[in-house]
Amino acid sequence: MQGYVIRNFTPNWFATTMGTGILSVALAQFPGHPWLFAMGQALWLFNILLFATCTTLYTARWLLYFHEASRVFSHSVVSMFFGCIPMGLATIINGFLIYGIPHIGDTAVAIATTLWWIDVTLSLACGLAIPFMMFTRQSHSIDQMTAVWLLPIVASEVAAVSGGLLLPHIADAQTQLTVLMTSLVLWACSVPLAMSVLVILFLRMAVHKLPHVNMAASSWLALGPIGTGALGLLVMSQTGPAVLSANGLASVAPAFGGASFLGAILLWGYGIWWLATAVLITLRYLREGLPFNIGWWGYTFPLGVFAVATLRLSTMVPMSSIAIFGAVLVTALVCMWLLVAAKTIKGTLDRSLFVSPCLKAD
């Protein structure tokens, strides 16, 4: 059984760490409810164990079944999920800044900083290598396209959010500027490209209609880069101006903060359209029945990051309706996580979820 699991373990499984991690972050956004903070902390610790388990199993596959594992680079769908690895790691980094600092202080910041640079490297590698393989060795067509194309691209903007959150915890002004500039470059390497993919996705769905029901969860992935892009701008609009001022750029700090804030609101509003569209598409799929697969974790992270962006916006704009909307989104996230987690446990126990499409293609 152990050999079967390892042989069929794919990077898709790291989507479980993304969904669990974003829920742990979302639960920490309600300072008036310490029990939610405690639940989020427990989830964060569990997510560290989950990420370590996924890393161990996937590393074992490469060591024991190298030839079979290497086929992933030629697969037009599974290879996209490499982006889930740095995105799952980013939620753990954010957890160190939220939950680690109260317990281990500066050590948590040091760990988060080291992990962040690793995450930056992995994110940029995914964002460059996977599209290059799409261009050179994989077979793609517009009628078969889904929003999974976004996964390797979005990893960089997720890392950018973590960089923005890290800024206030860095003492050295020059290091702060380095992290800020790196985060802005990461955002720029991801969001514009993701928006381009969304244009193609809109055309694909208009011309070729919805993807197969097995890819139903991918309809939510479009919300991911929009919510993450908005969250990144909101975070940097709060943390960036002080960094710029500390490095002799005080004259541009207000403009930076204002432009970031405005851009975040525009992206957030765009996300509302995609959220409504994803709900309508999901309801349409429900008429056919939705078979469960590991891709259902695609329902969680996009919803979670948009919820966190909404709650962050509610702390900056004095409108109670935004905070209420954010709380509703987090409630929906909790319900979805519980459903998907329960089905994942069942599929893990009966091994039905351990399927490697790269091997089935033989």
Side-chain angles (χ1 to χ4, degrees):
M1 176 178 178
Q2 184 180 14
Y4 176 86
V5 170
I6 293 175
R7 186 171 180 242
N8 288 275
F9 198 84
T10 62
N12 307 48
W13 280 89
F14 284 90
T16 63
T17 69
M18 292 172 59
T20 303
I22 196 59
L23 179 57
S24 72
V25 171
L27 292 176
Q29 307 305 309
F30 302 92
H33 299 81
W35 61 278
L36 288 177
F37 188 91
M39 289 178 60
Q41 180 174 264
L43 267 180
W44 171 64
L45 293 172
F46 171 72
N47 198 41
I48 294 175
L49 177 61
L50 182 61
F51 189 89
T53 301
C54 289
T55 301
T56 300
L57 290 173
Y58 196 50
T59 300
R61 187 188 188 197
W62 277 93
L63 293 175
L64 299 176
Y65 306 98
F66 180 84
H67 177 67
E68 293 178 352
S70 63
R71 298 180 193 176
V72 67
F73 295 118
S74 298
H75 198 278
S76 61
V77 176
V78 181
S79 60
M80 302 296 130
F81 286 87
F82 272 111
C84 294
I85 299 175
M87 287 191 279
L89 179 59
T91 65
I92 294 174
I93 295 169
N94 298 346
F96 270 104
L97 300 176
I98 297 170
Y99 302 112
I101 291 177
H103 294 288
I104 56 178
D106 291 341
T107 302
V109 176
I111 294 173
T113 302
T114 300
L115 290 178
W116 183 72
W117 284 110
I118 295 173
D119 194 60
V120 168
T121 303
L122 292 174
S123 298
L124 288 173
C126 288
L128 289 171
I130 301 304
F132 183 74
M133 291 176 188
M134 294 173 69
F135 305 156
T136 57
R137 61 188 296 181
Q138 297 176 0
S139 177
H140 292 273
S141 61
I142 296 299
D143 63 306
Q144 296 298 315
M145 175 208 184
T146 67
V148 296
W149 280 20
L150 294 164
L151 290 175
I153 298 169
V154 176
S156 289
E157 63 186 271
V158 175
V161 173
S162 298
L165 294 172
L166 187 61
L167 287 175
H169 305 286
I170 300 174
D172 179 66
Q174 185 61 46
T175 303
Q176 282 185 319
L177 184 61
T178 300
V179 172
L180 175 62
M181 292 300 294
T182 302
S183 298
L184 290 172
V185 170
L186 287 166
W187 193 95
C189 285
S190 177
V191 177
L193 185 56
M195 295 303 105
S196 301
V197 171
L198 291 183
V199 172
I200 303 171
L201 180 64
F202 187 100
L203 174 64
R204 176 255 180 270
M205 291 196 295
V207 175
H208 299 288
K209 308 312 171 190
L210 299 180
H212 189 273
V213 66
N214 286 333
M215 299 297 292
S218 67
S219 61
W220 286 80
L221 296 181
L223 189 61
I226 300 171
T228 308
L231 179 59
L233 290 180
L234 287 172
V235 169
M236 285 187 276
S237 73
Q238 292 179 307
T239 60
V243 174
L244 293 173
S245 297
N247 285 275
L249 296 169
S251 60
V252 301
F256 176 88
S260 299
F261 180 65
L262 176 60
I265 292 178
L266 295 177
L267 276 176
W268 179 77
Y270 181 34
I272 291 176
W273 187 91
W274 272 105
L275 173 64
T277 300
V279 171
L280 291 174
I281 290 175
T282 302
L283 292 175
R284 175 65 175 78
Y285 276 122
L286 284 173
R287 292 167 50 185
E288 305 175 27
L290 285 174
F292 179 75
N293 55 55
I294 199 68
W296 273 41
W297 284 96
Y299 290 114
T300 57
F301 186 81
L303 176 61
V305 76
F306 190 72
V308 173
T310 301
L311 293 172
R312 171 74 65 156
L313 181 62
S314 72
T315 66
M316 302 171 68
V317 178
M319 292 178 60
S320 59
S321 58
I322 298 178
I324 294 172
F325 181 43
V328 170
L329 292 176
V330 173
T331 301
L333 174 62
V334 170
C335 295
M336 181 55 67
W337 185 89
L338 289 172
L339 173 65
V340 178
K343 288 182 173 294
T344 301
I345 292 173
K346 180 178 181 299
T348 299
L349 294 176
D350 63 19
R351 297 192 301 171
S352 61
L353 291 181
F354 294 102
V355 178
S356 177
C358 307
L359 302 183
K360 292 183 69 175
D362 289 346

